[in-house]
Coordinates of all heavy atoms in Angstrom, one line a residue:
Chain J
C81 N -32.3 -51.9 -88.4 CA -31.2 -51.6 -89.3 C -30.7 -50.2 -89.2 O -29.5 -49.9 -89.2 CB -31.6 -51.9 -90.8 SG -31.9 -53.7 -91.1
F84 N -28.6 -49.9 -86.1 CA -27.3 -50.5 -86.2 C -26.4 -49.7 -87.0 O -25.2 -49.5 -86.6 CB -27.6 -51.9 -86.9 CG -26.4 -52.8 -86.8 CD1 -26.0 -53.3 -85.5 CD2 -25.7 -53.3 -87.9 CE1 -24.9 -54.1 -85.4 CE2 -24.7 -54.1 -87.8 CZ -24.3 -54.6 -86.5
W85 N -26.9 -49.1 -88.1 CA -26.0 -48.2 -88.9 C -25.7 -47.0 -88.1 O -24.5 -46.5 -88.2 CB -26.8 -47.9 -90.2 CG -26.1 -46.8 -90.9 CD1 -25.0 -46.9 -91.8 CD2 -26.4 -45.4 -90.8 NE1 -24.6 -45.7 -92.2 CE2 -25.4 -44.7 -91.6 CE3 -27.3 -44.6 -90.1 CZ2 -25.4 -43.3 -91.8 CZ3 -27.3 -43.3 -90.3 CH2 -26.4 -42.6 -91.1
Q92 N -17.7 -43.9 -85.0 CA -16.5 -43.5 -85.7 C -16.4 -42.0 -85.9 O -15.5 -41.5 -86.5 CB -16.5 -44.1 -87.1 CG -16.4 -45.6 -87.0 CD -16.5 -46.2 -88.4 OE1 -15.4 -46.5 -89.0 NE2 -17.6 -46.4 -89.0
N94 N -16.0 -39.4 -83.9 CA -14.9 -38.7 -83.2 C -14.0 -39.7 -82.6 O -14.1 -40.0 -81.4 CB -15.5 -37.8 -82.1 CG -16.3 -36.7 -82.6 OD1 -16.0 -36.0 -83.6 ND2 -17.4 -36.4 -82.0
G98 N -6.2 -43.6 -83.4 CA -6.2 -43.9 -84.8 C -5.7 -45.4 -85.0 O -5.2 -46.0 -84.0
P99 N -5.8 -45.9 -86.2 CA -5.3 -47.2 -86.5 C -3.8 -47.3 -86.4 O -3.1 -46.3 -86.8 CB -5.8 -47.5 -87.9 CG -6.1 -46.2 -88.5 CD -6.4 -45.3 -87.4
Q100 N -3.3 -48.4 -85.9 CA -1.9 -48.6 -85.8 C -1.5 -49.5 -87.0 O -2.0 -50.6 -87.1 CB -1.6 -49.3 -84.5 CG -0.2 -49.2 -84.0 CD -0.1 -49.9 -82.7 OE1 -0.6 -51.0 -82.5 NE2 0.5 -49.2 -81.7
L101 N -0.6 -49.0 -87.9 CA -0.3 -49.7 -89.1 C 1.1 -50.1 -89.1 O 2.0 -49.4 -88.7 CB -0.6 -48.9 -90.4 CG -2.1 -48.3 -90.5 CD1 -2.2 -47.3 -91.6 CD2 -3.0 -49.5 -90.8
K102 N 1.4 -51.2 -89.8 CA 2.8 -51.6 -90.0 C 3.4 -50.8 -91.1 O 2.6 -50.2 -91.9 CB 2.8 -53.1 -90.4 CG 2.5 -54.1 -89.3 CD 3.0 -55.4 -89.6 CE 2.2 -56.1 -90.7 NZ 2.0 -57.5 -90.5
N103 N 4.7 -50.6 -91.1 CA 5.2 -49.7 -92.1 C 5.0 -50.2 -93.5 O 4.9 -49.3 -94.4 CB 6.7 -49.4 -91.8 CG 7.5 -50.7 -91.6 OD1 7.0 -51.8 -91.8 ND2 8.8 -50.5 -91.3
E114 N -3.9 -43.4 -102.1 CA -3.9 -41.9 -102.1 C -3.0 -41.4 -103.2 O -2.3 -42.1 -103.9 CB -3.3 -41.5 -100.7 CG -4.3 -41.9 -99.6 CD -3.6 -41.8 -98.2 OE1 -2.5 -41.2 -98.2 OE2 -4.1 -42.3 -97.3
Chain X
N484 N -6.4 -40.8 -93.7 CA -5.4 -40.4 -94.7 C -4.0 -40.5 -94.1 O -3.7 -39.8 -93.2 CB -5.7 -38.9 -95.1 CG -4.9 -38.6 -96.3 OD1 -4.0 -39.2 -96.7 ND2 -5.3 -37.5 -97.0
V485 N -3.3 -41.4 -94.7 CA -1.9 -41.7 -94.2 C -1.0 -40.5 -94.6 O -0.1 -40.1 -93.8 CB -1.4 -43.0 -94.7 CG1 0.1 -43.2 -94.5 CG2 -2.1 -44.1 -94.1
S486 N -1.2 -40.0 -95.8 CA -0.2 -38.9 -96.3 C -0.2 -37.7 -95.3 O 0.8 -37.0 -95.2 CB -0.6 -38.4 -97.7 OG -0.8 -39.5 -98.5
R513 N 8.5 -50.3 -86.9 CA 7.7 -51.4 -87.5 C 6.3 -51.0 -87.5 O 5.5 -51.3 -88.5 CB 7.9 -52.7 -86.7 CG 9.2 -53.3 -87.0 CD 9.2 -54.8 -87.5 NE 8.0 -55.2 -88.2 CZ 7.4 -56.3 -88.0 NH1 7.7 -57.0 -86.9 NH2 6.4 -56.7 -88.7
L515 N 3.4 -47.8 -86.7 CA 3.2 -46.5 -86.3 C 1.7 -46.2 -86.2 O 0.9 -46.8 -87.0 CB 3.7 -45.5 -87.4 CG 5.2 -45.4 -87.5 CD1 5.7 -44.7 -88.7 CD2 5.7 -44.6 -86.2
Q516 N 1.3 -45.3 -85.4 CA -0.2 -45.1 -85.2 C -0.6 -43.8 -85.7 O 0.1 -42.8 -85.5 CB -0.5 -45.2 -83.7 CG -2.0 -45.1 -83.4 CD -2.4 -45.5 -82.1 OE1 -1.5 -45.7 -81.2 NE2 -3.6 -45.8 -81.8
L517 N -1.7 -43.8 -86.5 CA -2.2 -42.5 -87.0 C -2.8 -41.7 -85.8 O -3.4 -42.2 -84.9 CB -3.3 -42.8 -88.0 CG -2.8 -43.0 -89.5 CD1 -2.3 -44.4 -89.6 CD2 -3.9 -42.7 -90.4
P530 N -19.1 -43.6 -94.5 CA -20.6 -43.6 -94.5 C -21.3 -44.9 -94.3 O -22.5 -44.8 -93.8 CB -20.9 -43.1 -95.9 CG -19.7 -43.4 -96.7 CD -18.5 -43.3 -95.8
G532 N -20.8 -48.2 -92.4 CA -20.1 -49.2 -91.6 C -18.8 -48.8 -91.1 O -18.5 -47.7 -90.9
T541 N -3.2 -53.1 -86.7 CA -2.8 -54.1 -85.7 C -3.7 -53.9 -84.5 O -3.8 -54.8 -83.7 CB -1.4 -54.0 -85.4 OG1 -1.0 -52.7 -85.1 CG2 -0.5 -54.6 -86.5
N542 N -4.1 -52.6 -84.2 CA -4.9 -52.4 -83.1 C -6.4 -52.4 -83.4 O -7.2 -51.8 -82.8 CB -4.6 -51.1 -82.4 CG -4.9 -49.9 -83.3 OD1 -5.1 -50.1 -84.4 ND2 -4.9 -48.7 -82.7
L610 N -20.4 -38.3 -79.2 CA -20.7 -37.1 -79.9 C -19.8 -36.0 -79.4 O -19.4 -35.1 -80.2 CB -22.1 -36.7 -79.7 CG -23.1 -37.5 -80.5 CD1 -24.6 -37.2 -80.1 CD2 -23.0 -37.4 -82.0

Side-chain angles (χ1 to χ4, degrees):
Chain J
C81 294
F84 196 62
W85 168 83
Q92 298 178 95
N94 293 318
Q100 201 176 46
L101 301 171
K102 290 201 287 219
N103 52 2
E114 296 164 11
Chain X
N484 193 344
V485 168
S486 310
R513 285 237 30 229
L515 287 169
Q516 184 163 15
L517 274 79
T541 48
N542 64 346
L610 290 171

